[in-house]
């Protein structure tokens, strides 16, 4: 099999890249190791920066998002039993964010790709990307028990944090930066309307809690838990009681309870692999970097990588110039490190330190109080949360 751009991985990064390339007439093939049903069922985050929404519109993949997406004008920070609204449009010159689940984006992109191309192969597991230094990298993959090859002009690894594309970088050319956090998130999905219109980021001595949503009928809630926690150790009543304790305020507030339909524990890690390009192999999304979910940046970073890549391939196709592709790693990494910093700061500001350090606790409160007291401090949070500009 031959193509111009061979894409390993059919998550949001790979699928959106394929869509954007198809729109500018660049041929590509997506190899996805799992089944369609599996990819469409995976529960992930769902808070989209305005630039992410614009990219999905540019890809012709926003019809349902424009109808069902919930536009949010801010978030709530909750600490000391008090609620504080952070008004994004007022602080950023009109910017908003949109709640629309990543799984729904994936479903929309898959439906478009299967109907209109380019080629998307499920249960096609890439084994290795070979000869990235040559003009014709090759992806070896396994389909229906047989090994096949995809010969490309360029290969893009969109194969997530456990992918194989990264392995084709020579060890001496790569540097990996990692930070593990001493806590995890227990996430639940509940068939109950959200308890308020906004996302609530709550800092409490018992630990962090987040109120989010998937639709007007489905709530998404998270609790900070110790590393190694098992979801089975958290029966539904315990989850609701703990959420109640952490969201408690002086004044009116009721957390609506309902049937919990999914429960899982996610560890928290920041990781960046540099560079994001070797020869004719490029990495995008979780394959190159992961962030803790506190700043809602994972999906948005995957999309900004893909926007830069798509601009690079469009330029190459139209003019023969690889100017943007040659700068891809530096351009993407500027945004990656800013999002890594923001996610780290949000995480550290809102989670209880397991060793109960009293000084740390005071620092967290001082940071939160500064954000709620100073327009400048709040504007800095709002600018990062709604998304920094693309460096193009
Ligand atoms: N061959 C083919 N496909 C593979 C292989 C392989 N060897 N290894 C992994 N994949 C597929 C996975 O099955 C998955 O569908 O690559 C895809 C990677 O998708 P994601 O993990 O969703 O990563 P990405 O597209 O970069 O999206 C980033 O996902 O994890 C969240 O928080 C993150 O929201 C962010 C988003
Ligand atoms: C989610 O809705 O899953 C979500 C929202 C915001 C975050 C993290 C997760 O910061």
């Amino acid at each position: 099999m031959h193509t111009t751009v061979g894409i390993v991985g059919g998550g949001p990064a790979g699928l959106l890249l394929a869509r954007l390339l198809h729109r500018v007439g660049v041929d590509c093939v997506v190899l996805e190791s799992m089944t369609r049903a599996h990819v469409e069922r995976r529960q992930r985050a769902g808070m989209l920066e305005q630039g992410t929404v614009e990219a999905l519109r540019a890809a012709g993949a926003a019809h349902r998002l424009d109808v069902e997406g919930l536009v949010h004008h801010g978030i709530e920070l909750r600490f000391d039993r008090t609620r504080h609204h952070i008004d994004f449009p007022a602080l950023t010159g009109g910017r908003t964010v949109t709640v629309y689940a990543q799984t729904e984006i994936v479903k929309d992109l898959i439906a478009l790709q299967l109907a209109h191309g380019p080629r998307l192969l499920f249960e096609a597991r890439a084994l290795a990307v070979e000869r990235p230094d040559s003009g014709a990298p090759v992806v070896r993959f396994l389909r229906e028990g047989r090994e096949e090859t995809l010969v490309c002009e360029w290969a893009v690894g969109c194969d997530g944090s456990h992918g194989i594309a990264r392995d084709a970088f020579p060890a001496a050319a790569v540097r990996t930066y990692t930070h593990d956090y001493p806590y995890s998130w227990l996430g639940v999905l509940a068939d109950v309307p959200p308890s308020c219109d906004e996302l609530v980021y709550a800092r409490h001595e018992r630990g962090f809690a987040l109120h989010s949503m998937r639709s007007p009928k489905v709530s998404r809630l998270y609790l900070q838990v110790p590393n190694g926690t098992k979801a089975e150790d958290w029966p539904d009543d315990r989850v609701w009681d703990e959420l109640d304790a952490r969201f408690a305020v002086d004044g009116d507030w009721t957390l609506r309870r309902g049937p919990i339909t999914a429960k899982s524990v996610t560890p928290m890690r920041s990781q960046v692999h540099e560079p994001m390009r070797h020869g004719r192999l490029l990495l995008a999304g979780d394959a190159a970097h992961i962030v803790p979910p506190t700043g809602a940046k994972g999906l948005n970073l995957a999309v900004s990588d893909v926007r830069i890549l798509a601009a690079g391939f469009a330029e190459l196709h139209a003019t023969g110039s690889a100017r943007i592709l040659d700068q891809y790693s530096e351009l993407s990494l500027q945004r990656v490190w800013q999002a890594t910093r923001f996610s780290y700061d949000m995480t550290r500001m809102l989670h209880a330190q397991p060793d109960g350090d009293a000084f740390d606790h005071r620092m967290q409160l001082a940071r939160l109080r500064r954000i709620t007291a100073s327009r400048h401090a709040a504007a800095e949070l709002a600018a990062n949360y709604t998304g920094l500009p693309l460096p193009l």
Side-chain angles (χ1 to χ4, degrees):
M1 203 181 287
H2 286 78
T3 189
T4 308
V5 182
I7 300 174
V8 183
L15 294 168
L16 180 62
L17 178 61
R19 204 74 247 117
L20 291 170
L21 293 183
H22 190 62
R23 305 269 287 187
V24 294
V26 176
D27 182 58
C28 61
V29 173
V30 178
L31 303 176
E32 166 57 49
S33 57
M34 311 306 279
T35 62
R36 178 181 182 182
H38 178 94
V39 172
E40 290 188 343
R41 258 201 320 267
R42 267 192 310 231
Q43 277 302 327
R44 297 272 176 83
M47 181 51 106
L48 315 185
E49 294 172 3
Q50 202 163 306
T52 298
V53 173
E54 282 156 17
L56 289 162
R57 286 200 188 116
H63 299 297
R64 205 155 62 89
L65 161 64
D66 278 331
V67 176
E68 295 176 22
L70 306 171
V71 175
H72 280 218
H73 293 89
I75 55 168
E76 182 180 318
L77 293 180
R78 196 175 282 199
F79 57 95
D80 278 351
R81 300 180 68 87
T82 312
R83 310 173 65 171
H84 303 268
H85 173 64
I86 307 292
D87 183 337
F88 291 162
L91 293 162
T92 62
R95 296 179 77 76
T96 58
V97 289
T98 301
V99 169
Y100 187 69
Q102 180 173 317
T103 17
E104 303 307 315
I105 295 177
V106 165
K107 283 184 205 164
D108 296 345
L109 288 167
I110 288 175
L112 278 170
Q113 188 159 349
L114 293 180
H116 305 290
R119 283 169 289 176
L120 164 59
L121 309 182
F122 288 104
E123 296 179 80
R125 184 161 63 87
L127 301 171
V129 179
E130 288 170 354
R131 297 197 273 125
D133 292 312
S134 75
V138 174
V139 185
R140 276 198 300 114
F141 66 100
L142 206 57
R143 190 164 59 137
E144 290 170 2
R146 290 214 335 266
E147 202 172 306
E148 299 182 41
T149 53
L150 175 63
V151 182
C152 356
E153 288 173 26
W154 298 81
V156 185
C158 298
D159 48 351
S161 54
H162 303 293
I164 54 90
R166 221 168 43 221
D167 299 344
F169 281 55
V174 186
R175 178 112 199 242
T176 300
Y177 302 85
T178 306
H179 179 78
D180 287 309
Y181 298 81
Y183 29 72
S184 304
W185 276 16
L186 171 70
V188 303
L189 208 54
D191 279 339
V192 62
S195 302
C196 61
D197 293 341
E198 284 191 335
L199 264 66
V200 181
Y201 288 82
R203 188 212 167 277
H204 192 279
E205 289 65 23
R206 299 177 67 91
F208 170 73
L210 172 62
H211 166 272
S212 180
M213 61 203 70
R214 286 291 173 268
S215 74
K217 291 184 179 158
V218 177
S219 297
R220 178 80 170 144
L221 297 139
Y222 296 97
L223 283 169
Q224 174 187 350
V225 291
N227 282 342
T229 295
K230 293 192 172 53
E232 310 86 85
D233 295 339
W234 283 81
D236 297 3
D237 283 347
R238 183 176 178 203
V239 172
W240 291 117
D241 290 347
E242 191 62 30
L243 286 165
D244 257 337
R246 297 188 193 182
F247 284 126
V249 285
D250 296 330
D252 264 2
W253 158 263
T254 311
L255 178 67
R256 294 196 182 117
R257 297 188 177 202
I260 290 181
T261 56
K263 212 181 271 173
S264 59
V265 175
T266 322
M268 318 253 290
R269 165 177 273 197
S270 296
Q271 190 163 68
V272 181
H273 300 276
E274 290 191 356
M276 290 171 64
R277 173 176 170 183
H278 177 72
R280 286 190 169 216
L281 170 61
L282 305 121
L283 301 177
D286 277 16
H289 40 72
I290 47 179
V291 286
T294 325
K297 289 294 163 222
L299 170 62
N300 293 297
L301 269 189
V303 169
S304 55
D305 288 350
V306 162
R307 292 172 78 192
I308 300 171
L309 275 182
F313 283 118
E315 181 187 59
L316 181 67
H317 184 64
T319 69
S321 162
R323 188 184 54 98
I324 297 177
L325 288 179
D326 286 343
Q327 294 174 14
Y328 168 67
S329 185
E330 289 76 20
L331 291 175
S332 268
L333 283 167
Q334 285 177 33
R335 220 173 171 281
V336 166
W337 278 113
Q338 286 307 317
T340 301
R341 171 195 58 76
F342 175 65
S343 308
Y344 174 88
D345 288 348
M346 285 283 279
T347 304
R348 299 275 311 212
M349 177 171 77
L350 291 163
H351 289 72
Q353 282 298 108
D355 53 13
D357 184 315
F359 177 80
D360 235 63
H361 178 159
R362 284 289 172 210
M363 284 294 102
Q364 291 179 326
L365 286 178
R367 282 196 190 95
L368 284 161
R369 287 180 184 142
R370 179 72 188 150
I371 289 168
T372 52
S374 149
R375 188 182 165 85
H376 288 297
E380 172 62 7
L381 186 155
N384 284 279
Y385 198 100
T386 56
L388 299 178
L390 214 60
L392 266 184

